[in-house]
Amino acid sequence: MPGCRKSLSSTCPVRKGLRRGNASEPPDCSAQCRGREIEASEVTEKAVSQVKTGTDRIVVHPADGEVSGSVRIPGSKSITNRAIALAVLSTGTSRITNPLFSDDTERGLAAAQTLGCKVLVRDDEVEITGIGRQRPVPRATIDVGSAGTIARFLPCILAFGESGEWHLTASAQMTKRPIDGLGAALNQLGDPLEYIENPGRYPITVRGGRIRKSVAHVDGSVSSQYLSGLLLAAPRNATPIRITTDGAVVQSEYVRMTIDCMRRFGARVEASDDLSRIDVEPVEYRATTFDVEADASTATYFAALPAVAGGAIELTNLARASRQPDIQFVEILAAFGCVTEWTGDVGVRIRRPQGLTRLRGGHRFDLNACSDVALTVAALSVFADAPVEITGIEHVRHHECDRIDAMTEVLRAVGARVQERPDGWLIEPATVRRAEVRTRDDHRMAMASALIGIGGSGISLDHPDCVAKTCPTFFELLSGLGLPSDRTAAVG
């Protein structure tokens, strides 16, 4: 059975320098990593760049027949990052099972270690001994790389604690992404955050021991991560914290997921239905054992395979009652004409009926609440029998890249007619052709574009290793399902 196996790209001595997702089976590093305490210095920009420059392009071939098989989806990136943050803020040792090991989560583990946490990595689990409000390392420079979630959570963790000063740097990609909404909210509570170069962007300096007020207003129109970051850290304040919003929070289910995770660690949180008011009581987070469910966003790329190639696939560990908003993609597949069958509380089977020659189009999808599926839905839309309209996703222009513009470029390159709009697209059916396209070093662009190649005439992608952000073995998994790809080595 294919499955995303643990990838410790920067921390594992066996996998240093190994190309991510190489079609050959990577060596099993579990014996060398088991029980080994990682060093924060091991996760460096140099180590990450070494694995990201090993290959130049990957050619994903069209499906040669219907797809058939099952996939165990890796752990949720969003939930893993929340669990790491909560473990750092707790007193005692927390155990996180089934975590995602990827570029983003490794940045979080490295930050925890830098701040003085003991981090122990074992097979399919991580133990973190938290520091609560204490700051045993009161001064440090921490590089968050391109990890957007960590980039929004870490300043809050540092601000709600003892005195100290930390310089936070980021990749060139991350420095283009806004954090001004987070900075404005934090600085309403005191003056913990300072921009070093450009207002509202990384790099930043964060100072602890400066939270003096108890009410902050958060702009949730750009990223729900601003609100989630404040919520995660707020229980460690000495007095209650009230957070308000305008009630219009993008991907608001991620905030509710944050509150669920906080309660697992002992937080006392009361929130209005529209998240316009959230009250957080001061508590001592208690260490716990936390199991990470499958990543619903990553699941979309594999769930979509029968839609573009025919056949059937089973996702063995996807939770039907998941809080993750991208679980709605199963319903979207049904709207396109696929048959979806839950096998119980966990596990779903998707198949494309034999008589469905083209997917059913004519839809208008408002994907504001689950915008991470937008690129996948756009990829499917070119295989529909009528135009598909996608709306409500203007905020994804501020993700790893301008995702609306990026997907417009890909769709036009493969021969689709698409109207780009401020908050989405109108995509018309097309007979797609093979093309060389840019992923813009965006993991979701790479995986969604691969679907177009599989259902069409193949596709050539640059920056294939960007998938390491969420599913390092994405192309290996495709190969295991009979969907091969070929890599082209970089020249020079």
Side-chain angles (χ1 to χ4, degrees):
M1 179 186 299
C4 269
R5 66 193 303 167
K6 181 172 71 174
S7 175
L8 297 177
S9 62
S10 306
T11 62
C12 173
V14 175
R15 298 200 180 189
K16 277 189 177 180
L18 176 71
R19 300 178 196 172
R20 292 188 189 274
N22 193 297
S24 62
E25 182 70 3
D28 186 353
C29 67
S30 59
Q32 294 193 40
C33 289
R34 186 181 299 116
R36 188 173 69 81
E37 191 170 334
I38 67 170
E39 295 294 335
S41 60
E42 292 182 283
V43 182
T44 63
E45 192 63 40
K46 180 180 179 182
V48 173
S49 67
Q50 284 176 344
V51 297
K52 286 201 171 185
T53 57
T55 57
D56 188 25
R57 301 195 73 87
I58 193 166
V59 176
V60 180
H61 299 292
D64 183 17
E66 294 185 342
V67 68
S68 178
S70 60
V71 178
R72 181 175 176 81
I73 302 300
S76 164
K77 180 190 74 169
S78 298
I79 296 177
T80 300
N81 281 330
R82 283 161 174 76
I84 291 171
L86 288 162
V88 170
L89 289 162
S90 297
T91 301
T93 300
S94 295
R95 179 169 164 258
I96 304 170
T97 60
N98 193 40
L100 174 68
F101 290 101
S102 70
D103 280 358
D104 270 26
T105 58
E106 287 168 15
R107 293 287 183 179
L109 293 174
Q113 181 95 8
T114 297
L115 292 175
C117 296
K118 180 180 179 181
V119 178
L120 195 65
V121 178
R122 295 191 175 94
D123 285 348
D124 298 321
E125 68 177 55
V126 175
E127 287 186 0
I128 299 175
T129 301
I131 55 176
R133 283 184 50 86
Q134 295 179 357
R135 297 296 176 261
V137 182
R139 288 181 176 271
T141 296
I142 302 174
D143 187 1
V144 301
S146 295
T149 310
I150 298 301
R152 276 66 178 266
F153 291 178
L154 187 56
C156 301
I157 292 172
L158 296 173
F160 282 85
E162 292 180 351
S163 296
E165 182 174 302
W166 301 272
H167 184 54
L168 306 186
T169 62
S171 68
Q173 183 188 67
M174 186 63 218
T175 60
K176 298 175 183 177
R177 299 179 65 180
I179 62 162
D180 47 341
L182 177 65
L186 271 176
N187 285 340
Q188 290 172 43
L189 297 168
D191 56 350
L193 190 147
E194 178 184 357
Y195 301 109
I196 302 304
E197 295 177 6
N198 298 312
R201 300 290 192 275
Y202 264 78
I204 60 176
T205 294
V206 182
R207 298 178 178 91
R210 297 198 175 196
I211 301 297
R212 297 183 293 271
K213 299 180 181 178
S214 60
V215 179
H217 183 80
V218 178
D219 178 4
S221 65
V222 175
S223 174
S224 63
Q225 291 174 355
Y226 301 161
L227 182 51
S228 285
L230 280 171
L231 284 171
L232 288 166
R236 298 319 317 245
N237 198 47
T239 58
I241 293 286
R242 170 168 289 183
I243 303 173
T244 63
T245 74
D246 292 329
V249 179
V250 297
Q251 297 180 294
S252 58
E253 278 303 304
Y254 280 107
V255 178
R256 295 183 178 91
M257 187 170 70
T258 298
I259 294 173
D260 285 349
C261 293
M262 292 169 62
R263 287 171 174 158
R264 291 278 303 277
F265 281 79
R268 295 195 295 270
V269 186
E270 295 296 332
S272 62
D273 290 342
D274 63 354
L275 301 176
S276 61
R277 188 190 73 254
I278 308 174
D279 291 312
V280 185
E281 295 294 320
V283 299
E284 181 122 335
Y285 277 130
R286 56 177 180 265
T288 190
T289 296
F290 189 102
D291 186 60
V292 179
E293 66 182 62
D295 194 308
S297 304
T298 298
T300 67
Y301 310 109
F302 299 100
L305 289 173
V308 300
I313 199 159
E314 184 175 353
L315 309 181
T316 62
N317 62 330
L318 191 63
R320 186 173 191 175
S322 175
R323 271 280 199 192
Q324 297 175 75
D326 294 348
I327 199 71
Q328 298 175 52
F329 185 71
V330 176
E331 297 175 15
I332 292 172
L333 283 172
F336 274 119
C338 293
V339 177
T340 61
E341 301 167 318
W342 288 95
T343 58
D345 293 337
V346 177
V348 64
R349 187 172 185 269
I350 298 106
R351 63 181 177 88
R352 176 170 167 166
Q354 290 289 338
L356 191 68
T357 56
R358 292 191 72 89
L359 301 177
R360 293 176 190 157
H363 308 293
R364 183 180 187 274
F365 295 116
D366 183 345
L367 301 180
N368 182 268
C370 54
S371 55
D372 281 344
V373 311
L375 299 178
T376 316
V377 176
L380 296 184
S381 298
V382 298
F383 301 106
D385 60 9
V388 174
E389 186 178 6
I390 298 170
T391 67
I393 59 167
E394 185 174 4
H395 57 281
V396 305
R397 292 187 181 276
H398 305 289
H399 284 194
E400 279 80 348
C401 67
D402 181 340
R403 286 180 170 167
I404 295 177
D405 178 71
M407 182 51 80
T408 299
E409 180 181 290
V410 169
L411 293 174
R412 288 174 177 166
V414 300
R417 290 201 299 173
V418 54
Q419 295 179 27
E420 181 179 320
R421 295 172 175 176
D423 69 338
W425 312 272
L426 177 64
I427 302 168
E428 298 189 24
T431 300
V432 300
R433 59 176 179 253
R434 186 188 183 281
E436 292 190 355
V437 301
R438 295 191 300 157
T439 67
R440 305 197 192 183
D441 203 19
D442 184 329
H443 58 128
R444 301 208 184 281
M445 280 298 304
M447 292 187 279
S449 298
L451 293 172
I452 299 175
I454 290 167
S457 302
I459 199 165
S460 174
L461 310 173
D462 68 355
H463 297 293
D465 293 309
C466 64
V467 299
K469 190 175 180 71
T470 44
C471 187
T473 52
F474 175 73
F475 295 109
E476 287 180 306
L477 286 169
L478 292 182
S479 179
L481 293 167
L483 301 167
S485 55
D486 294 322
R487 288 176 172 257
T488 303
V491 177

